[in-house]
Amino acid sequence: MTASHSNPLQGLRDLHLPPPVSAWPPAPGWWLLGLLVLVLLLGAFWLWRRHRRQAYRRVASKQLAQLRTAMQQGQADTAIIAELSILLRRVAISRYGRDQVAALHGPDWLAFLDRTGRTDAFTRQGRALLDAPYQRHSGQAAAPLLDLAQRWLRLQS
């Protein structure tokens, strides 16, 4: 026997491994997962910004509830209407900006509230908002104005 026949594996060639699997491009499932994560992040960012933009509405709703409580506890309607007037002005400045709101007064202020609240009730019932801070006693009840302010606040977005 010859030496070449003594080792049967000597005639075999080396193993050739396939090239390693590349990480790029990813499989379609990874693309879908990445797209889903991106959509979720954008949605969370949009909700967070909306939440921050609406902060003035939450604060105003709490203050409106405090005014209702004060009215139920017997506080004078003139004081409640005066506070309501201040609250409406603050909300309008927060929502529409100081440039557009700060200079409004009298009938122009009531017309602005009507326009932004899609109503004409402020022009009809809201005169007390202009006069209450300067009067000792107002002939106007605070409850209808609080309801009107709450409807106006709901329409601000």
Side-chain angles (χ1 to χ4, degrees), residues 103-115:
L104 297 175
H105 57 87
D108 292 337
W109 168 240
L110 296 178
F112 172 82
L113 291 173
D114 282 340
R115 186 176 66 250

Side-chain angles (χ1 to χ4, degrees), residues 27-74:
W30 288 111
W31 284 106
L32 290 175
L33 181 63
L35 183 63
L36 178 66
V37 166
L38 180 65
V39 167
L40 288 175
L41 286 174
L42 288 174
F45 179 71
W46 179 79
L47 286 173
W48 175 74
R49 285 197 48 189
R50 183 172 183 255
H51 180 75
R52 288 198 54 200
R53 278 194 316 259
Q54 300 295 326
Y56 72 92
R57 287 180 66 193
R58 289 188 300 280
V59 170
S61 293
K62 287 178 186 175
Q63 290 177 350
L64 201 56
Q66 290 171 351
L67 288 175
R68 282 192 190 280
T69 303
M71 182 184 69
Q72 292 168 352
Q73 292 174 350

